[in-house]
């Protein structure tokens, strides 16, 4: 059974260089590490290199309304079988986080999907275009402000 | 040799004796008889297409443990007829961007060499439209023009899939033409003639498949490639280039391609029969048995062998996956061609040695 | 001689694109310079739909994502919800889940193998694979009345108990399986032309596969030992003895043959499960209206196409606040471009076949 990285090491150990900016949120299965987006790529590189969290399982975003958008990274270590959920926040107006493609090239389509459906831009992404919806589509359907049409 | 007069030859002779007084001039009678032969060949081609399409689907069904067509007519025999009616009554769609005349001519032109090739097939002793003294050469020359209509269709369709298919067909047919011809040369060396009837008669003692097994193998492989059938169906390559040159064709034009495919299949099988399997002659057997089967006309033997070859080709089609274009080329040029050349060399040395042995 | 590349639009209607995938190929003759997959033709907005449904109502939608492995998808979403609710489910239900999920994996791999043979021009191989897969679908049909969209695995267990004689039927299938595999070996994987077509084509290194977040057979073909059933066992998978077949070079052949080997391992798991399956209830006590506590969870399972994950955010209401699926087929499909470059058109079809996307899942 894979365990959370934070069960094996303490937060202080893992995030020693970034201690001030990192917060742990939630408990049990909901446990996640929230990092500021300015430090996102550096922290991800740190995790990938020093704690062999080499596998980006999932990348998605959650619309938290007033709080802004939460971009969620689920990481996994294939060799050590750790898992870790990392989050970062961006405000509603800004809706932009840096891309993690330099760390995991496979984030390409996942980021494009988030951009397409949630409207969060990834700064530095080489091809920030819609993935699933047609180019002329207006709006981002997974935002809570996007209401489904009532059934006829 | 067969002493019983063949029923088909009897019919031809009767027809001739009937026409002779009617038309007077023997040249006119000859021309009329060629017309009859042409009609007979057309009948063979169409009749064969009907049977072969049905047979292909039955064979496919057999290979895939399912019944195949079995609804229209007894054991599905009329399925092809129904399909033909459907194809003829279909709308003839001409896509916008096609090169009108070339596009229209391609299926027609494809059909002509196929038809012409049938002129030299010795269906039985004396049952041959024209027994040219360069019969085999004529067949090869005519059959090699089949490349052009495929290129015409591919180019004029104004479709990239068609174009790729057309280019592939040129590359493939030209490459496999050479081993095909070379595989037949061994036999021609043995017989010393290109005349179809002489080639068949030369096999009264032993079939050339036993004297030229390698040539037969090369011929079968190259012929599969020439007819664009799996594992060499790159020209159509359904899962890659949709239907190659035929992509834009529909209705009757498409069915002409289809017809030509089966006519070609029959043609290469007929040549295999003629050159390697003893043509119209019964299989080698003791004299007693030979007399017992003497009542069977030559064209039955010919048809039986040809259909066996066709079954072989169908067997390939339904069991093999497809080659890739570079593998196809390297196989043709690096394996088949040297093998065919070596076969010619060995045959030549063999003939020389044989002559010395018998003191020639 | 001056030459020019040209663009070929393959799909969304094309015999070999496994549905409605469009690939824009830039070609230099027959050689691929660039292959750009264009997806979204089957996008139905399942994530948005599910955020407007209750938790239980979202289960049938997972059947329609990867429609070749509905059981595994049902299993994934149900386990995610259960993880969120910290729900224990009865033993018998766990075993039924494993049996159905593994049977579904076999069925899905049969399609992959058969369709790849078809893509390479081998019609007959495909027919045999589909024939044998039908046996599994018949089993599912007698179990839950559906061949592909099951909705059988539910939150708290499974919908209902196995019908009488079902386990015997399942055993009979397993008894016949080796013979089926022998047929595929003879007809498909043993064929030299097919091996020539697949071996050494479009290799993928282990580092690159991990970096690209590839999963399933695509990742394991490169020699990376990552199978969620072993790496992060869910349900009762830690009770079974099975191996994770690994490839070496990550070429098309490895990706293809691995699926063949995985069928054997799945059969092993089912055999063990059939021996161990206890009697008992198949459904835990679950409230009629499921309202998981506030929180969020990421849970992943190994579906036939790879690492299928669900990320659920609950705000305590009957509807999920966020319902996200990590779709392995979509993430694996990213590799098509780099794997196809420099190969032939015919290889694109083969590479696509070994990446094995199901467009229902890619587009979601």
């Amino acid at each position: 059974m894979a365990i959370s990285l934070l069960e094996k090491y303490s937060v202080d150990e893992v995030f020693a260089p970034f201690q001030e900016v990192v917060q742990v949120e939630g408990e049990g299965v909901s446990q996640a590490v929230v990092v500021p987006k300015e430090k996102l790529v550096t922290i991800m590189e740190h995790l990938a290199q020093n704690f062999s969290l080499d596998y980006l399982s999932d990348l998605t975003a959650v619309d938290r309304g007033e709080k802004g958008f939460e971009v969620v990274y689920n990481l996994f270590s294939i060799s050590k079988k750790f898992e870790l959920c990392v989050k970062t926040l961006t405000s509603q107006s800004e809706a932009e986080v840096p891309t993690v493609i330099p760390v995991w090239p496979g984030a390409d389509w996942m980021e494009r999907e988030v951009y397409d459906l949630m409207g969060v831009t990834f700064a530095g992404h080489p091809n920030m275009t819609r993935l699933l919806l047609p180019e002329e589509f207006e709006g981002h359907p997974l935002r809570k402000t996007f209401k489904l049409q009532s059934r006829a | 040799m067969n002493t019983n007069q063949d029923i088909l030859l009897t019919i031809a002779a009767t027809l001739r004796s009937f026409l002779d007084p009617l038309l007077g001039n023997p040249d006119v009678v000859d021309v009329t008889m060629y017309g009859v032969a042409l009609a007979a060949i057309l009948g063979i081609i169409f009749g064969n297409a009907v049977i072969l399409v049905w047979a292909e689907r039955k064979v496919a069904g057999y290979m895939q443990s399912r019944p195949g067509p079995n609804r229209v007519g007894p054991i599905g025999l009329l399925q092809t007829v129904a399909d033909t009616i459907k194809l003829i009554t279909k709308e003839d769609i001409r896509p916008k961007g096609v090169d009108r005349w070339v596009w229209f001519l391609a299926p027609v032109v494809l059909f002509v060499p196929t038809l012409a090739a049938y002129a030299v097939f010795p269906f039985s002793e004396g049952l041959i439209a024209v027994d040219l003294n360069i019969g085999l050469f004529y067949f090869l020359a005519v059959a090699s023009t089949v490349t052009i209509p495929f290129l015409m269709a591919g180019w004029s369709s104004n479709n990239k899939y068609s174009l790729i298919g057309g280019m592939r067909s040129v590359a493939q047919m030209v490459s496999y033409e050479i081993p095909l011809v070379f595989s037949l040369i061994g036999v021609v060396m043995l017989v010393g003639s290109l005349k179809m009837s002489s080639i068949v008669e030369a096999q009264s003692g032993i079939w050339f498949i036993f004297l030229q097994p390698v040539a037969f193998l090369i011929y079968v492989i190259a012929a599969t490639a020439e007819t664009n059938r799996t594992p060499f169906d790159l020209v159509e390559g359904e899962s890659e280039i949709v239907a190659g040159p035929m992509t834009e064709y529909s209705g009757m034009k498409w069915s002409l391609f289809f017809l030509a495919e089966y006519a070609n299949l029959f043609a290469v099988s007929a040549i295999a029969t003629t050159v390697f399997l003893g043509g119209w002659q019964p299989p080698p057997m003791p004299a007693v048995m030979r007399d017992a089967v003497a009542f069977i006309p030559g064209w039955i033997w010919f048809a039986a062998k040809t259909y066996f070859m066709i079954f072989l080709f169908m067997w390939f089609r339904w069991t093999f996956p497809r080659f890739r274009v570079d593998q196809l080329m390297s196989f043709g040029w690096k394996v088949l061609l040297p093998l065919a050349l070596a076969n010619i060399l060995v045959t030549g040395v063999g003939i020389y040695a044989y002559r010395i042995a018998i003191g020639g | 001689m001056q030459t020019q590349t040209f663009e070929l639009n393959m799909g969304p209607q094309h015999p070999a694109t496994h549905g409605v995938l469009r690939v824009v190929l830039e070609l230099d003759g027959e050689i691929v310079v660039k292959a750009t997959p264009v997806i979204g033709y089957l996008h139905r907005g399942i994530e948005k739909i599910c955020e407007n449904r209750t938790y239980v109502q979202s289960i049938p939608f997972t059947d329609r994502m990867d429609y070749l492995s509905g059981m595994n998808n049902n299993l994934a979403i149900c386990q995610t919800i259960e993880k969120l609710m910290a729900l224990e489910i009865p033993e018998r239900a766990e075993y039924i889940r494993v049996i159905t999920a593994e049977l579904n994996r076999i069925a899905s791999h049969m399609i992959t193998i058969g369709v790849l043979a078809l893509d390479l021009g081998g019609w007959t191989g495909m027919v045999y694979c589909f024939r044998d897969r039908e046996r599994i679908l018949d089993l599912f049909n007698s179990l839950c009345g559906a061949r592909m969209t099951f909705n059988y695995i539910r939150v708290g267990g499974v919908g209902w108990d196995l019908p009488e004689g079902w386990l015997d039927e399942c055993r009979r299938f397993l008894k016949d399986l080796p013979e089926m595999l022998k047929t595929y070996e003879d007809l498909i994987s043993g064929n030299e032309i097919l091996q020539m077509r697949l071996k050494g084509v479009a290799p993928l290194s282990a580092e690159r596969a991990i970096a690209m977040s590839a999963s399933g057979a695509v990742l394991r073909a490169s020699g990376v030992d990552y199978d969620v059933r072993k790496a992060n066992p869910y349900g009762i998978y830690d009770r079974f003895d099975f191996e994770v077949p690994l490839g070496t070079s990550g070429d098309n052949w490895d990706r293809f043959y691995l699926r063949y080997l995985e069928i054997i391992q799945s059969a092993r798991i089912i055999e063990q499960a059939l021996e161990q399956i206890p009697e008992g209830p198949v459904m835990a006590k679950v409230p009629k209206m499921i309202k998981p506590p506030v929180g969020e969870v990421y849970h992943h399972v190994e579906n036939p196409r790879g690492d299928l994950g669900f990320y659920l955010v609950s705000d305590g209401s009957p509807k999920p606040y966020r319902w996200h699926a990590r779709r392995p087929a979509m993430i694996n499909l990213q590799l098509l471009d780099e794997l196809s470059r420099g190969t032939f058109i015919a290889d694109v079809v083969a590479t696509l076949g070994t990446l094995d996307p199901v467009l229902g899942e890619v587009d979601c």
Side-chain angles (χ1 to χ4, degrees):
Chain A
M1 194 77 184
I3 55 163
S4 171
L5 184 71
L6 300 180
E7 282 175 42
K8 182 90 177 169
Y9 303 100
S10 71
V11 187
D12 300 348
E13 270 178 280
V14 177
F15 296 101
F18 316 98
Q19 222 161 1
E20 321 76 67
V21 290
V22 171
Q23 285 176 336
V24 177
E25 202 187 75
E27 278 178 359
V29 292
S30 310
Q31 194 181 49
V33 178
V34 184
V35 302
K37 63 176 188 171
E38 292 76 23
K39 288 270 191 231
L40 180 75
V41 180
T42 347
I43 292 177
M44 288 302 194
E45 269 168 359
H46 166 71
L47 288 172
Q49 275 160 18
N50 301 337
F51 292 91
S52 68
L53 285 165
D54 45 3
Y55 189 75
L56 177 66
S57 278
D58 188 28
L59 192 165
T60 187
V62 184
D63 182 359
R64 290 289 184 186
E66 294 292 299
K67 272 171 70 188
F69 297 102
E70 205 175 68
V71 182
V72 185
Y73 303 84
N74 280 291
L75 312 180
F76 194 82
S77 161
I78 288 178
S79 50
K80 304 243 172 71
K81 315 275 186 268
F82 295 137
E83 52 190 7
L84 185 68
C85 180
V86 180
K87 290 179 181 174
T88 186
L89 263 171
T90 176
S91 71
Q92 233 172 354
S93 54
E94 205 180 16
E96 190 187 79
V97 293
T99 176
V100 291
I101 288 184
V103 194
W104 299 287
D108 186 348
W109 280 19
M110 301 190 225
E111 289 183 347
R112 276 178 70 190
E113 192 193 6
V114 169
Y115 165 73
D116 189 358
L117 302 177
M118 194 64 92
V120 177
T121 320
F122 290 84
H125 190 288
N127 181 24
M128 199 77 265
T129 49
R130 285 190 183 276
L131 181 69
L132 295 169
L133 299 173
E135 281 301 318
E136 60 274 13
F137 191 86
E138 280 174 28
H140 301 282
L142 284 182
R143 288 187 173 186
K144 292 292 170 189
T145 46
F146 189 101
K147 293 286 176 227
L148 283 187
Q149 283 176 346
S150 57
R151 283 216 230 172
Chain B
M1 278 298 126
N2 200 345
T3 45
N4 298 359
Q5 186 57 279
D6 198 311
I7 181 159
L8 293 176
L9 286 177
T10 320
I11 292 172
T14 319
L15 197 62
R16 187 176 271 269
S17 60
F18 172 72
L19 286 173
D20 243 345
L22 211 65
L23 296 167
N25 190 337
D27 288 345
V28 179
V29 176
D30 274 352
V31 171
T32 317
M33 286 309 289
Y34 282 136
V36 172
L38 181 67
I41 285 169
L42 274 174
I44 291 170
I45 291 179
F46 283 102
N48 251 313
V50 170
I51 296 167
L52 289 184
V53 172
W54 171 83
E56 176 115 80
R57 295 172 68 175
K58 273 289 181 195
V59 169
Y62 169 65
M63 301 275 171
Q64 300 173 350
S65 69
R66 58 186 174 85
N70 64 352
R71 295 283 130 175
V72 193
I75 54 167
L77 267 171
L78 295 178
Q79 184 66 48
T80 323
V81 179
D83 287 349
T84 315
I85 292 169
K86 182 201 79 176
L87 282 171
I88 292 172
T89 52
K90 252 187 164 178
E91 187 190 353
D92 187 31
I93 301 163
R94 184 166 64 84
K96 234 177 185 172
V98 301
D99 187 329
R100 193 171 180 170
W101 280 103
V102 181
W103 189 74
F104 168 75
L105 278 175
V108 182
V109 174
L110 174 64
F111 197 61
V112 173
T114 312
L115 185 63
Y118 277 63
V120 292
F121 291 168
F123 294 100
S124 182
E125 196 178 2
L127 199 66
I128 175 167
V130 208
D131 196 4
L132 291 174
N133 55 2
I134 51 159
L136 196 58
F137 179 67
Y138 168 84
F139 166 77
L140 293 168
V142 167
S144 66
T145 56
V146 170
T147 317
I148 297 164
F150 273 109
L151 184 62
M152 281 166 73
W155 177 259
S156 63
S157 290
N158 197 13
N159 175 322
K160 286 168 187 168
Y161 289 117
S162 303
L163 184 61
I164 295 172
M167 291 304 180
R168 280 184 181 185
S169 88
V170 174
Q172 175 178 332
M173 289 192 179
V174 170
S175 304
Y176 279 75
E177 197 80 52
I178 299 164
L180 182 88
V181 175
F182 281 8
S183 70
L184 297 176
I185 284 180
V187 170
V188 174
M189 285 161 74
L190 289 177
V191 182
S193 168
L194 287 161
K195 199 173 180 175
M196 291 293 199
S197 54
S198 319
I199 293 174
V200 176
E201 271 155 23
Q203 296 177 72
S204 55
I206 184 167
W207 291 1
F208 285 147
I209 184 176
F210 302 115
L211 293 180
Q212 293 277 328
V214 179
F216 180 71
L217 208 65
I218 296 169
Y219 176 82
V220 169
I221 294 171
T224 320
E226 281 293 296
T227 46
N228 297 328
R229 292 173 67 85
T230 318
F232 301 101
D233 62 338
L234 287 96
V235 175
E236 285 171 56
E238 198 211 331
S239 53
E240 299 152 25
I241 52 170
V242 189
M246 281 86 98
T247 308
E248 297 289 1
Y249 286 93
S250 60
M252 202 52 214
K253 289 201 189 73
W254 181 78
S255 56
L256 271 178
F257 275 105
F258 213 59
L259 197 64
E261 186 192 326
Y262 283 103
N264 276 330
L265 177 63
F266 185 85
V268 293
S269 306
I271 290 295
T273 307
T274 311
V275 177
F276 293 104
L277 299 178
W280 66 72
Q281 308 185 74
M285 54 177 89
V288 189
M289 278 171 78
R290 189 174 272 265
D291 290 340
V293 296
F295 68 94
I296 299 174
W299 50 272
I300 296 268
W301 288 116
F302 183 87
K305 292 171 190 172
T306 307
Y307 278 106
F308 171 75
M309 284 308 297
I310 290 173
F311 173 74
L312 210 61
F313 286 122
M314 286 181 177
W315 191 359
F316 292 163
R317 170 158 180 184
W318 295 107
T319 42
F320 283 135
R322 184 185 307 124
F323 273 102
R324 199 173 57 206
V325 69
D326 59 322
Q327 294 165 343
L328 173 95
M329 285 296 145
S330 66
F331 183 66
W333 290 100
K334 291 180 188 163
V335 180
L336 281 189
L337 186 62
L339 206 60
L341 286 169
N343 184 58
I344 293 173
L345 181 74
V346 171
T347 310
V349 171
I351 293 172
Y352 189 71
Y354 181 71
R355 279 204 194 128
I356 288 172
I358 62 168
Chain C
M1 195 166 69
Q2 196 194 347
T3 58
Q4 219 180 333
T5 61
F6 72 104
E7 254 183 22
L8 181 73
N9 186 33
M10 199 163 141
Q13 259 70 29
H14 187 279
T17 52
H18 294 216
V20 283
L21 172 67
R22 179 178 161 213
V23 185
V24 182
L25 293 173
E26 198 183 325
L27 295 171
D28 178 12
E30 288 252 358
I31 296 174
V32 178
V33 179
K34 196 172 173 220
T36 320
V38 181
I39 64 172
Y41 289 89
L42 201 61
H43 179 64
R44 292 147 295 179
I46 287 182
E47 292 191 5
K48 185 72 178 178
I49 295 171
C50 289
E51 283 169 21
N52 288 276
R53 298 281 182 284
T54 63
Y55 285 91
V56 176
Q57 280 174 342
S58 71
I59 300 172
F61 287 96
T62 61
D63 280 325
R64 284 147 184 87
M65 280 167 46
D66 180 351
Y67 40 76
L68 296 181
S69 58
M71 284 292 182
N72 285 282
N73 301 351
N74 287 172
L75 178 66
I77 186 69
C78 289
Q79 286 193 334
T80 314
I81 299 169
E82 285 155 9
K83 200 168 168 183
L84 198 56
M85 297 166 70
L87 201 66
E88 284 286 321
I89 77 156
E91 280 283 286
R92 188 173 170 83
E94 288 278 25
Y95 277 96
I96 295 174
R97 283 177 172 194
V98 167
I99 293 168
T100 52
E102 292 307 316
L103 276 177
N104 206 181
R105 191 186 314 279
I106 295 177
S108 173
H109 282 343
M110 279 176 175
I111 296 245
T112 309
I113 293 172
V115 170
L116 185 70
L118 177 65
D119 285 346
L120 298 178
W123 264 91
T124 304
M126 183 274 284
V127 175
Y128 281 92
C129 288
F130 271 66
R131 181 193 70 177
D132 300 338
R133 168 196 182 236
E134 209 61 26
R135 294 266 312 261
I136 301 178
L137 297 188
D138 284 345
L139 275 172
F140 285 153
N141 201 358
S142 67
L143 177 61
C144 59
R147 292 171 72 251
M148 288 166 87
T149 49
F150 311 110
N151 190 20
Y152 174 66
I153 297 175
R154 305 281 171 81
V155 178
V158 293
W160 43 81
D161 205 347
L162 303 169
E164 215 170 299
W166 195 87
L167 288 175
D168 295 328
E169 196 61 43
C170 191
R171 283 191 191 103
R172 259 197 294 283
F173 169 76
L174 285 182
K175 216 176 116 237
D176 296 344
L177 187 66
E179 200 178 321
M180 298 171 185
L181 292 173
K182 176 80 173 39
T183 311
Y184 308 155
E185 186 83 53
D186 288 348
L187 205 55
I188 305 173
S189 51
N191 188 297
E192 285 199 16
I193 299 176
L194 188 119
Q195 294 186 5
M196 249 165 74
R197 284 289 305 272
L198 295 177
K199 278 184 181 165
V201 176
L204 178 66
S205 73
E207 297 75 40
R208 186 67 186 163
I210 295 173
M212 288 302 282
S213 291
S215 55
V218 179
L219 180 65
R220 288 192 291 273
S222 303
V224 182
D225 187 0
Y226 175 62
D227 184 319
V228 186
R229 290 173 294 175
K230 282 270 191 206
N232 193 358
Y234 50 93
I236 51 165
Y237 272 102
D238 45 359
R239 295 184 197 171
F240 302 110
D241 171 35
F242 66 100
E243 280 152 32
V244 178
L246 294 179
T248 46
S249 57
D251 58 2
N252 278 346
W253 170 256
D254 277 354
R255 281 193 284 274
F256 160 76
Y257 200 62
L258 222 60
R259 291 185 165 110
Y260 180 87
L261 297 175
E262 278 183 14
I263 291 182
I264 300 169
Q265 296 304 324
S266 288
R268 269 179 74 185
I269 297 176
I270 301 171
E271 264 164 19
Q272 295 169 41
L274 285 174
E275 270 170 31
Q276 298 170 14
I277 185 166
E279 291 295 324
V282 293
M283 196 69 183
K285 279 210 157 49
V286 179
K288 274 265 180 296
M289 176 62 82
I290 291 177
K291 282 187 193 172
V294 180
E296 52 202 67
V297 65
Y298 177 75
H299 179 73
H300 53 167
V301 308
E302 184 76 21
N303 103 337
R305 257 141 279 281
D307 177 354
L308 172 72
F310 279 104
Y311 181 71
L312 292 182
V313 178
S314 163
D315 57 356
S317 73
K319 292 177 182 175
Y321 184 76
R322 180 80 175 91
W323 191 102
H324 168 77
R326 181 238 195 242
R327 286 113 55 201
M330 180 192 91
I331 295 166
N332 287 349
L333 190 61
Q334 289 186 86
L335 289 162
L336 184 66
D337 182 26
E338 58 182 89
L339 291 183
S340 297
R341 288 186 188 201
T343 63
F344 290 84
I345 305 177
D347 290 331
V348 176
V349 175
T351 309
L352 193 63
T354 58
L355 289 178
D356 189 28
V358 167
L359 270 291
E361 185 173 283
V362 173
D363 294 344
C364 191

